[in-house]
């Protein structure tokens, strides 16, 4: 007997077994699982009435609210495909994504109604605009539609290979690409996540990670599978994060390293008393060992480092703890924890290959590209067979990330392949240099890029954000790096900046630093 692998099964089970438990906290609103799924059923019925059927696309432009979470159930149980749009993009990007995905319904929260209206005439295929909050002319009122819809909903039979979501990647240089995630992809990722990072029934999860980012790394469904509570958060501000952790007794959160840095450096006034024991799952960019160490030692939190891409639903490496890690000194343990790690039980086979397709030796030195094959790899890029062929045509998905393998088999990312610095014929890992600079007490954030150099072809240059109330000089930074690294890896120059350019999902935009050069706005 076979039943389709789908996160909708998690919802069915949790509703049946944990219907009265708290599912969602969003400001003053609190919903039990029974109430949450009753709302989802009604919204599915209303969408069906609007003519949405299996395979149709429904886009949402929303921060982390209960309505955004509801769309991750109401749309798929209709057999339709959710397109959670990165709400921090521009109206022109909204137009591109909505049109490319062919969405017939666009749902938005109150802060995006005007932005969408300003480009409405450029989205001719959209039949319905839905205001998830607030009321506006020309917009269907979500709450009114839910109130008017009939309860109970029976959806069509789902095939596990059906599309669940299309997630558009940020696309720093090219147009965003639509990553097709199937029910099976997401179910496998959720199950693997829970095996490695078990959430107990009733534990509370804070939404510091955007739900649109790779479906909130599937926590939109994983927290439900565990019968935990989703604590919504519209905007990540350290004071609000610390307050919610305390007031809502939060014990889990996911965040990109940049968010962890802002929490670690929050002023005492914003922190208040810190609840210890919070499990932090970090991915999206390489976290520095220094950041991990501070959260573990100063806050008493437990950090797990994970790695993946939207294209792999997303997790393909987890820095799984080993018994021998327990005996390490905190600083050494943080270095181990900063490694991306090993395959998850469910994510499939992962290799680090040289340009000829052979696995690199596990020597912690030789760099290769991470490739993977398994049940979490996307179906392809929506309506883009050429791009799909390029990244997975040979039966392996090519990540574009450069890594080494440590002797214990743990994979460690050194750079995006295209960001690897080659200076005088030697490879330099920007991640390694950044991690070293972050050990300096005045350094809050650091980014290393290769800038043109007459003698070496390319030489590493550091862009540094200093911690509040501290100062440092270029010479001091270079000397600090030279004491700890092979000299050719130390930055040749340093530019102090007030902030680093980042994507909406917390990745440093290295191309902007390279293009801006050493004279970018100085601090
Ligand atoms: P996205 O699809 O937006 O999540 O971006 C995926 C990319 O983020 C990967 O290809 C990596 O370059 C980067 N990334 C994700 N997780 C990590 C991590 N733990 N360490 C280093 N880079 C990461």
């Amino acid at each position: 007997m076979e039943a389709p692998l789908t996160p909708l099964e998690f919802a069915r089970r949790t509703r049946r077994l944990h219907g009265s438990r708290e599912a969602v906290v969003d400001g003053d609103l609190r919903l039990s699982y029974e109430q949450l799924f009753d709302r989802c059923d009604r919204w599915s019925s209303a969408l069906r009435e609007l003519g949405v059927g299996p395979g149709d696309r429904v886009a949402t432009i929303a921060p982390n609210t209960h309505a955004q979470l509801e769309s991750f159930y109401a749309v798929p149980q209709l057999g339709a495909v959710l397109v959670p749009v990165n709400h921090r993009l521009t109206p022109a990007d909204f137009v591109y994504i909505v049109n490319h995905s062919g969405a017939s319904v666009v749902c938005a929260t109150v802060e995006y109604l005007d932005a969408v209206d300003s480009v409405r005439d450029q989205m001719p295929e959209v039949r319905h605009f839905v205001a998830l909050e607030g009321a506006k002319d020309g917009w269907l009122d979500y709450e009114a539609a839910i109130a008017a819809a009939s309860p109970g909903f029976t959806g069509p039979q789902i095939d596990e290979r059906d599309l669940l979501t299309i997630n558009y990647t940020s696309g720093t240089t090219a147009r965003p690409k639509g990553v097709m995630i199937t029910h099976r992809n997401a179910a496998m990722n959720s199950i693997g996540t829970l095996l490695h990072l078990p959430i107990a029934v009733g534990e509370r999860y804070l939404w510091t990670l955007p739900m649109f980012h790779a479906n909130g790394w599937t926590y939109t469904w994983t927290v439900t599978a565990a019968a935990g509570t989703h604590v919504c958060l519209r905007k990540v501000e350290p004071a609000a994060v610390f307050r919610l952790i305390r007031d809502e007794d939060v014990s889990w959160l996911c965040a990109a390293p940049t968010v962890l840095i802002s929490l670690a450096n929050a002023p005492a006034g914003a922190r208040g008393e810190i609840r210890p024991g919070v499990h932090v799952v970090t991915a999206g960019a390489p976290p520095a060992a220094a950041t991990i160490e501070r959260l573990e030692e100063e806050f008493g939190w437990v950090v797990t480092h994970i790695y993946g891409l939207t294209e792999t639903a997303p997790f393909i490496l987890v820095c799984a703890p080993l018994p021998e890690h327990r005996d390490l000194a905190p600083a050494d343990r943080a270095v181990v924890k900063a490694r991306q790690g090993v395959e998850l039980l469910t994510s499939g086979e992962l290799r680090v290959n040289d340009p000829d397709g052979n696995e690199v030796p596990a020597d912690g030195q030789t760099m290769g590209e991470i490739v993977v094959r398994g049940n979490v790899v996307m179906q392809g890029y929506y309506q883009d067979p050429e791009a799909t062929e390029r990244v997975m045509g040979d039966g392996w998905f090519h990540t574009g990330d450069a890594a080494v393998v440590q002797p214990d088999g743990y994979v460690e990312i050194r750079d995006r392949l295209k960001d690897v610095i080659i200076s005088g014929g030697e490879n330099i890992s920007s991640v390694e240099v950044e991690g070293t600079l972050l050990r300096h007490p005045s350094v809050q954030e650091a980014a290393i890029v290769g800038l043109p150099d007459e003698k070496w072809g390319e030489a590493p240059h550091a862009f540094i954000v200093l911690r509040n109330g501290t100062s440092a000089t270029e010479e001091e930074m270079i000397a600090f790096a030279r004491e700890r690294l092979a000299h050719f890896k130390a930055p040749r120059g340093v530019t102090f900046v007030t902030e680093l350019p980042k994507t909406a999902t917390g990745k440093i935009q290295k191309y902007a630093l390279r293009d801006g050069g050493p004279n970018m706005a100085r601090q």
Side-chain angles (χ1 to χ4, degrees), residues 99-134:
N99 288 343
H100 188 270
S101 67
S104 57
V105 178
V106 171
C107 311
T109 45
V110 64
E111 58 275 68
Y112 302 105
L113 304 184
D114 289 344
V116 173
D117 270 342
S118 73
V119 289
R120 200 187 254 238
D121 57 350
Q122 297 170 46
M123 301 187 281
E125 304 287 309
V126 178
R127 283 183 282 129
H128 303 284
F129 291 89
V130 179
L132 295 173
E133 306 156 328

Side-chain angles (χ1 to χ4, degrees), residues 61-73:
I61 305 172
N64 294 339
T65 67
H66 66 92
Q68 170 79 328
L69 181 68
E70 284 154 9
S71 66
F72 282 85
Y73 297 92

Side-chain angles (χ1 to χ4, degrees), residues 170 213 283-287 305-311 340 399 401 413 416 505 507:
S170 346
H213 187 199
H305 180 195
I306 271 210
Y307 156 81
L309 300 88
T310 303
E311 286 87 337
Q340 281 68 18
T399 63
D401 289 311
I413 291 188
R416 290 292 294 165
T505 54
K507 295 185 214 318

Side-chain angles (χ1 to χ4, degrees), residues 160-490:
E160 64 186 28
R161 289 176 186 79
D162 287 345
L163 288 193
L164 173 66
T165 59
I166 305 178
N167 302 85
Y168 280 79
T169 55
S170 346
T172 43
T173 46
R175 280 293 198 183
K177 291 197 276 290
V179 173
M180 295 191 285
I181 295 297
T182 62
H183 284 255
R184 176 183 173 82
N185 290 150
M188 293 308 283
N189 192 77
S190 279
I191 293 166
T193 302
L194 280 177
L195 283 170
H196 291 275
L197 296 160
I199 301 177
V201 171
E203 278 199 284
R204 299 161 79 81
Y205 174 90
L206 182 63
W207 272 106
T208 34
L209 180 79
M211 293 186 196
F212 71 75
H213 187 199
N215 305 319
W217 301 346
T218 71
Y219 275 82
T220 44
W221 303 295
T222 305
V223 174
T224 299
T229 303
H230 298 263
V231 179
C232 294
L233 177 64
R234 282 185 104 99
K235 194 160 187 277
V236 178
E237 280 158 350
V241 171
F242 287 112
R243 182 177 46 76
L244 279 170
I245 289 176
R246 251 189 328 268
D247 295 355
E248 293 295 336
D249 198 24
V250 166
S251 55
W252 287 89
L253 60 85
C254 292
T258 171
V259 172
L260 302 186
I261 289 172
S262 73
L263 295 180
N265 290 291
R271 285 186 192 183
E273 199 186 320
I274 289 176
R275 180 203 192 282
V278 177
H279 296 272
V280 174
V281 182
T282 192
T291 311
I292 295 176
E293 190 184 343
R294 283 187 63 195
L295 290 186
E296 298 212 321
E297 298 305 307
E298 283 179 34
F299 292 7
W301 292 359
V302 183
V303 180
T304 304
H305 180 195
I306 271 210
Y307 156 81
L309 300 88
T310 303
E311 286 87 337
T312 54
F315 296 151
I316 48 177
L317 286 173
V318 57
C319 191
L322 296 174
E324 44 273 36
H325 296 164
R326 275 201 294 268
D327 305 328
L328 296 172
D332 298 332
R333 189 165 49 241
V335 169
V336 170
K337 285 193 162 200
R339 293 181 182 151
Q340 281 68 18
V342 291
E343 296 163 359
L344 285 80
L345 271 164
T346 50
S347 63
E349 185 178 3
L350 181 141
R351 294 186 184 173
V352 179
N353 282 351
D354 67 19
D356 298 327
N358 300 315
E359 280 190 271
V360 301
D363 60 4
Q365 301 276 336
T366 317
M367 267 199 251
E369 183 185 17
I370 299 179
V371 300
V372 65
R373 62 175 173 198
N375 293 310
V376 292
V377 176
M378 65 170 176
Q379 203 175 76
Y381 292 117
Y382 188 62
Q383 295 195 334
D384 198 343
E386 290 86 31
T388 305
E389 173 66 24
R390 268 200 304 280
V391 294
M392 52 197 278
D394 66 355
W396 290 84
F397 173 75
H398 293 252
T399 63
D401 289 311
V404 299
V405 183
Q406 295 293 344
D408 59 1
Y410 278 53
V411 174
E412 188 175 323
I413 291 188
R414 290 299 168 88
D415 255 311
R416 290 292 294 165
L417 268 182
K418 61 180 182 324
D419 290 336
V420 172
I421 303 165
I422 302 174
S423 188
E426 300 268 15
N427 285 347
I428 299 175
S429 152
S430 59
V431 176
E432 183 186 4
V433 186
E434 287 158 7
T436 303
L437 288 173
L438 276 158
R439 294 235 171 248
H440 189 286
S442 302
V443 175
Q444 175 160 326
E445 282 187 277
I448 302 287
V449 297
L451 292 185
D453 183 276
E454 271 185 21
K455 184 164 175 202
W456 305 107
E458 233 183 355
H461 187 93
F463 291 86
I464 290 177
V465 180
L466 292 175
R467 289 172 79 171
N468 265 344
T470 65
S471 64
T473 63
E474 179 170 24
E475 295 70 37
E476 184 185 342
M477 286 298 152
I478 294 174
F480 184 83
R482 283 172 71 96
E483 274 166 30
R484 291 163 178 80
L485 290 168
H487 287 183
F488 72 94
K489 295 181 182 173

